[in-house]
Amino acid sequence: MHIAEGMLPLPQALVYGALSSPLLIISFQKLQKLLKYGTSEEKALQNLAGALIFAITLFPLPVPMLGVTSHMCATPVLGILLGFWRVVLPTALALLIQALFFAHGGITTLGANILTLAVTGPLIAIGVFTGLKRCSLPQWISIALACFLGDLSVYLLDAVIVGQALSGQQGFYFWFSRIALGFAPAQIPLAILEGLLSAYFIAFLQKKLPAFNGLKGLTQPSNVQIKTVGTIAGLTLLLFGFSPLAFGAAFSGLDETVLEQAAIQAGVSNMAPWIDLTQGELALTVFFLGGFLAGLLTGLNWSKLQGCKKENSHAS
């Protein structure tokens, strides 16, 4: 999801920036209305979503047996929960900060990264979930499938964009298939995990905050469904979390392993990040500070949501 600095030719980078710009403007206008007319609950949930996008897309998860780490997207489930326009701008801001201070992505590739993570992921998830709601599947399965496909769509579009950028002596299909097949062994299991965690996240919110029932067409899940998907997601997450201990591998990032290696083979050298704060002890400090701030914002806004719940219960 983080196409590195200098990987795209400047004309293509400008095109992706131009395509993403009007979407950012519309998202900004929608969020302005939310800040002006939205309820305290809606504002707190929006702030919570922004913190989650930053933290989840930055946090590397080790993939068992492959020796790589990758990221979950978060935008598919938040698109289902909040709607498309309320996800675009917060994701773009998270990508900008990650490019500037964490050497994840780039400034020249920001438009392309916005189109993959902030636009394609949530749109695919919303579309799939809307279609599956008409079937007789349990809601959590519909959410899990929608977010699974939303996650994969982000990386497929990455493969399309970088494949187009690298096409020269070797054609587009060569690079697209090489990158997509490079992503698949790591990202498919991670997308399964994201689908399960997304289903549990929405079910958890519905259980703890009754105001979510009926939101975006969501229906109240049963306790059995919540416990079932929570158990499956928890066990899967443990498998990922303990994989470095189990397999003892030196894990490298999936983006570097696939995208940057393809760029090197194509003779494209990446540019250095504009600001690189990821070296040595400084890297740990920057990563810890970013995670701490995201966690603080998450906790504060969760407390606000709990306060809204208590106010609503007293009012009723």
Side-chain angles (χ1 to χ4, degrees):
M1 71 173 70
H2 295 107
I3 302 173
E5 193 72 78
M7 192 168 286
L8 304 180
L10 184 58
Q12 292 184 27
L14 291 174
V15 168
Y16 295 129
L19 290 174
S20 63
S21 295
L23 302 176
L24 293 175
I25 293 171
I26 296 172
S27 179
F28 175 73
Q29 293 172 340
K30 298 283 185 181
L31 290 175
Q32 271 191 319
K33 290 182 181 178
L34 174 68
L35 292 175
K36 188 174 182 179
Y37 302 110
T39 64
S40 299
E41 204 166 39
E42 289 174 326
K43 294 174 185 177
L45 181 61
Q46 185 65 47
N47 293 332
L48 175 65
L52 288 176
I53 289 170
F54 175 79
I56 292 172
T57 57
L58 184 64
F59 186 78
L61 270 175
V63 182
M65 294 180 287
L66 294 180
V68 297
T69 63
S70 190
H71 307 275
M72 291 190 292
C73 298
T75 54
V77 65
L78 293 174
I80 292 173
L81 190 61
L82 301 177
F84 172 70
W85 293 113
R86 289 172 59 180
V87 173
V88 175
L89 184 61
T91 307
L93 293 175
L95 288 169
L96 176 62
I97 294 170
Q98 290 169 5
L100 284 174
F101 301 109
F102 293 87
H104 274 43
I107 301 302
T108 60
T109 58
L110 184 61
N113 288 327
I114 289 171
L115 289 177
T116 59
L117 183 62
V119 177
T120 303
L123 275 181
I124 293 296
I126 292 169
V128 172
F129 177 66
T130 301
L132 291 177
K133 277 197 305 183
R134 301 174 183 176
C135 304
S136 301
L137 291 174
Q139 178 176 277
W140 74 269
I141 294 179
S142 298
I143 294 171
L145 286 173
C147 294
F148 166 76
L149 293 173
D151 179 296
L152 291 185
S153 70
V154 171
Y155 285 85
L156 278 175
L157 186 55
D158 273 340
V160 170
I161 290 173
V162 178
Q164 182 62 41
L166 299 182
S167 60
Q169 291 183 346
Q170 302 283 2
F172 163 77
Y173 182 74
F174 172 85
W175 291 112
F176 168 76
S177 58
R178 185 180 181 87
I179 293 168
L181 291 173
F183 279 147
Q187 205 57 40
I188 288 176
L190 199 57
I192 293 172
L193 174 64
E194 175 155 4
L196 292 169
L197 288 176
S198 298
Y200 181 71
F201 176 64
I202 289 182
F204 177 80
L205 286 179
Q206 288 183 274
K207 183 178 180 181
K208 294 296 182 180
L209 301 169
F212 284 100
N213 296 320
L215 184 67
K216 302 297 179 183
L218 298 174
T219 57
Q220 175 67 46
S222 67
N223 288 331
V224 173
Q225 289 179 343
I226 294 174
K227 290 178 180 178
T228 300
V229 70
T231 301
I232 296 172
L235 291 174
T236 308
L237 184 61
L238 283 175
L239 175 63
F240 279 78
F242 284 105
S243 60
L245 298 177
F247 301 105
F251 283 71
S252 59
L254 182 65
D255 292 335
E256 292 82 3
T257 303
V258 177
L259 295 182
E260 295 188 19
Q261 288 301 316
I264 292 171
Q265 185 178 347
V268 176
S269 58
N270 296 338
M271 295 165 51
W274 289 33
I275 304 173
D276 192 354
L277 303 179
T278 62
Q279 301 302 315
E281 294 296 328
L282 186 59
L284 295 175
T285 303
V286 171
F287 188 84
F288 173 79
L289 181 61
F292 172 77
L293 292 175
L296 181 64
L297 286 172
T298 301
L300 288 174
N301 286 288
W302 178 254
S303 297
K304 289 181 182 179
L305 286 170
Q306 290 290 89
C308 293
K309 175 187 174 183
K310 292 177 182 178
E311 289 175 6
N312 291 340
S313 62
H314 289 323
S316 58

